[in-house]
Amino acid sequence: MDRAQKQESIETLKGVFADSGAVVVTHYMGLTVAEMTDLRGRLRKEGAQLQVVKNTLATKALGGSIGEAGDALFKGPVAIAFAPDPVSAAKVATQYAKDNDKFTVIGGFMGQQVLDKSSVTALATLPSLDQLRAKIVGLLQAPATKIAGVLQAPAGQLARVVGAYAAKDAA
């Protein structure tokens, strides 16, 4: 890589770090190309991405913004998983790490806060943004359904009473 390409890569990483909800730092030593492709496909389904990064370029892109603890994450063969949603990348990466011994989650960061492996695992257990939206919509629709049922009940009871009197008069 020449100097211009390195500068362009650093600027790209700065954009990734700024736009991502959370960045999960992983080690991928020993994964085959097919396994990496499978992981990338799983991440893509959730709206996340995986990118292999050079450690020096990543630390320059961070510019010391997350401190020495954050810079210490970038040792060895590092790939970062990231998404606009802070939960989706962590969820897929931790699940893949459970399924594959060669892939390990080292840690991550969310904004200026550095996350260790247990924090990333805790982040992965949270519901995703789409799941939260579905719960909110369900909560909003439930009272409306109950109100409609309460309003219809007296009319239904009245109709049954009238129907009972009509049946009684007919008999």
Side-chain angles (χ1 to χ4, degrees), residues 85-121:
D85 176 20
V87 177
S88 59
K91 194 171 281 200
V92 174
T94 54
Q95 182 59 43
Y96 196 79
K98 287 179 186 175
D99 298 342
N100 195 328
D101 295 337
K102 298 173 190 169
F103 184 77
T104 57
V105 174
I106 302 304
F109 53 93
M110 205 161 92
Q112 303 298 323
Q113 183 178 4
V114 178
L115 307 171
D116 60 352
K117 185 177 179 177
S118 62
S119 298
V120 173
T121 305

Side-chain angles (χ1 to χ4, degrees), residues 2-170:
D2 65 352
R3 188 175 289 237
Q5 289 173 326
K6 287 181 183 179
Q7 189 60 36
E8 181 181 328
S9 183
I10 289 171
E11 292 301 320
T12 303
L13 284 173
K14 282 182 182 178
V16 165
F17 295 151
D19 297 339
S20 299
V23 177
V24 180
V25 181
T26 63
H27 279 184
Y28 63 94
M29 187 121 180
L31 285 180
T32 64
V33 173
E35 291 169 332
M36 285 291 277
T37 304
D38 178 44
L39 175 59
R40 283 190 167 109
R42 290 182 189 187
L43 285 164
R44 198 172 302 114
K45 285 179 187 175
E46 298 296 322
Q49 295 180 17
L50 181 79
Q51 183 176 356
V52 175
V53 296
K54 292 187 81 144
N55 297 335
T56 55
L57 296 180
T59 53
K60 285 182 181 179
L62 288 170
S65 63
I66 58 174
E68 291 181 20
D71 292 342
L73 293 172
F74 293 97
K75 303 275 189 257
V78 171
I80 56 171
F82 57 93
D85 176 20
V87 177
S88 59
K91 194 171 281 200
V92 174
T94 54
Q95 182 59 43
Y96 196 79
K98 287 179 186 175
D99 298 342
N100 195 328
D101 295 337
K102 298 173 190 169
F103 184 77
T104 57
V105 174
I106 302 304
F109 53 93
M110 205 161 92
Q112 303 298 323
Q113 183 178 4
V114 178
L115 307 171
D116 60 352
K117 185 177 179 177
S118 62
S119 298
V120 173
T121 305
L123 184 64
T125 60
L126 294 174
S128 69
L129 190 59
D130 290 336
Q131 290 171 335
L132 287 174
R133 286 179 180 154
K135 284 183 182 181
I136 290 172
V137 168
L139 290 172
L140 291 175
Q141 286 181 341
T145 305
K146 288 179 183 177
I147 289 172
V150 167
L151 292 176
Q152 288 178 348
Q157 288 175 346
L158 182 63
R160 283 191 287 280
V161 168
V162 170
Y165 277 121
K168 182 179 176 186
D169 288 342

